[in-house]
Amino acid sequence: MTAPTPAPTPAPVTVRVPAKVNVQLAVGAARPDGFHDLANVFLAVGLYDQVTATPADALRITAEGHDVDQIPLDRTNLAARAAELLAARHGIEPNVHLHITKDIPVAGGMAGGSADAAGALLACDALWGTGAPRSELLALCAELGSDVPFSLVGGAALGRGRGELLTPLPVGGTFHWVFAVADGGLSTPAVYREFDRLTADTDVPAPEPSPALLAALETGDPTALAASLTNDLQPAALSLRPSLSAALATGTAAGALAALVSGSGPTTAFLVEDPGSARQVADALQASGTCRTVRTATGPAPGATTL
Ligand code: C5P
């Protein structure tokens, strides 16, 4: 009698996931659950983290790349929580080694942690053969965080609710961006708390997407997009980190079409006309000492992709 052939060890799975910039972030009043209703227009940009899932005896996380000393390598990492959530739903053990290669600024308002969670979910689904349909993956993403579904989907999308209810948006061209990465991160809950403090005496309107902004995306016109970029969290981010205004001013003086804080910050984003202008703005920011490092990227970029 021949011995049964052991099941083959599944090959590692690597998923690449983009960063995002919010081209409109309209924030409503705090809801009873503490979250804020949003009209959140996400644009994925071509800075990517990679997550590789390999079979292991237990859940383990390692990381390499930019600022990895600033991310937790235990079960508080959102990528670990993604693996645990998928495993729990399918009644299996979350035995996987997740290796994260970071290129997205950490705690920078560019959804780096959300990207890693979406990447881990897709990679584990393929590694474990759980075969979760897209709708289940999106629901799991929404449980993990408000920005995680967009990391899976990429492109451009309008996020309603707390940002997790997505409608894909048409984009008619490629937009060129420069990002100034600040020293240290900003905590998203702290920025929302500061928003609440700054708006305590005002009647915060219900957040609505800007028709002019959606039209600018659809036509691919950077000048029109520049005229309609808004971020309701920007005053709160600047209140917590006043030094960001120097980076905004530097990029604008160097020829950016528009400048704004990316999401909850502290990364600042500069929309530029073309690659030449991107180099000019990037050089000026780098030379100014107003930021730690400068990145350039274009959007839209595709969502989480298995390599
Ligand atoms: O959903 P996520 O875990 O990324 O949210 C982090 C924090 O950001 C929340 O705990 C909340 O304080 C704040 N937040 C919010 N309204 C949103 C999204 C996030 O107040 N729509």
Side-chain angles (χ1 to χ4, degrees):
M1 224 170 74
T2 52
T5 322
T9 305
V13 179
T14 297
V15 175
R16 190 187 77 161
V17 196
K20 61 84 181 161
V21 61
N22 306 86
V23 288
Q24 184 189 1
L25 185 45
V27 181
R31 313 190 309 202
D33 66 1
F35 285 88
H36 296 70
D37 274 324
L38 304 178
N40 190 352
V41 182
F42 296 99
L43 180 70
V45 295
L47 298 177
Y48 301 96
D49 281 1
Q50 285 188 17
V51 182
T52 298
T54 309
D57 294 336
L59 179 56
R60 189 161 80 89
I61 298 213
T62 54
E64 65 177 302
H66 285 279
D67 296 333
V68 285
D69 52 318
Q70 293 170 40
I71 64 168
L73 296 178
D74 58 16
R75 294 191 168 200
T76 62
N77 189 302
L78 207 53
R81 293 190 8 223
E84 285 180 327
L85 185 62
L86 181 69
R89 288 298 148 84
H90 289 269
I92 58 176
E93 291 299 319
N95 292 339
V96 64
H97 171 202
L98 296 172
H99 183 69
I100 302 172
T101 306
K102 280 224 77 77
D103 197 35
I104 303 174
V106 173
M110 297 192 76
S114 299
D116 299 346
L121 201 59
L122 208 56
C124 289
D125 183 53
L127 186 78
W128 296 333
T130 36
R134 192 81 171 164
S135 56
E136 181 187 332
L137 290 174
L138 282 169
L140 294 175
C141 284
E143 280 188 48
L144 289 162
S146 307
D147 288 349
V148 184
F150 180 72
S151 296
L152 190 71
V153 168
L158 170 64
R160 303 305 301 256
R162 57 186 169 81
E164 85 285 22
L165 306 171
L166 296 178
T167 307
L169 293 172
V171 183
T174 299
F175 294 101
H176 297 266
W177 294 88
V178 179
F179 298 99
V181 182
D183 255 327
L186 263 180
S187 141
T188 302
V191 175
Y192 275 101
R193 274 198 303 277
E194 183 66 359
F195 171 88
D196 290 340
R197 194 183 70 80
L198 293 174
T199 57
D201 297 327
T202 53
D203 207 3
V204 179
E208 290 299 336
S210 149
L213 178 119
L214 300 184
L217 280 178
E218 189 159 7
T219 56
D221 178 351
T223 309
L225 185 63
S228 40
L229 293 174
T230 54
N231 179 2
D232 287 354
L233 291 182
Q234 181 158 318
L238 289 176
S239 167
L240 296 177
R241 194 72 72 81
S243 59
L244 296 181
S245 56
L248 293 172
T250 301
T252 307
L257 298 171
L260 83 171
V261 170
S262 178
S264 57
T267 302
T268 43
F270 304 86
L271 180 61
V272 295
E273 180 81 48
D274 52 32
S277 176
R279 268 192 304 279
Q280 196 176 313
V281 170
D283 288 348
L285 283 163
Q286 195 71 69
S288 70
T290 58
C291 59
R292 183 159 59 88
T293 170
V294 180
R295 311 295 305 276
T296 57
T298 62
T305 306
T306 305
L307 299 180

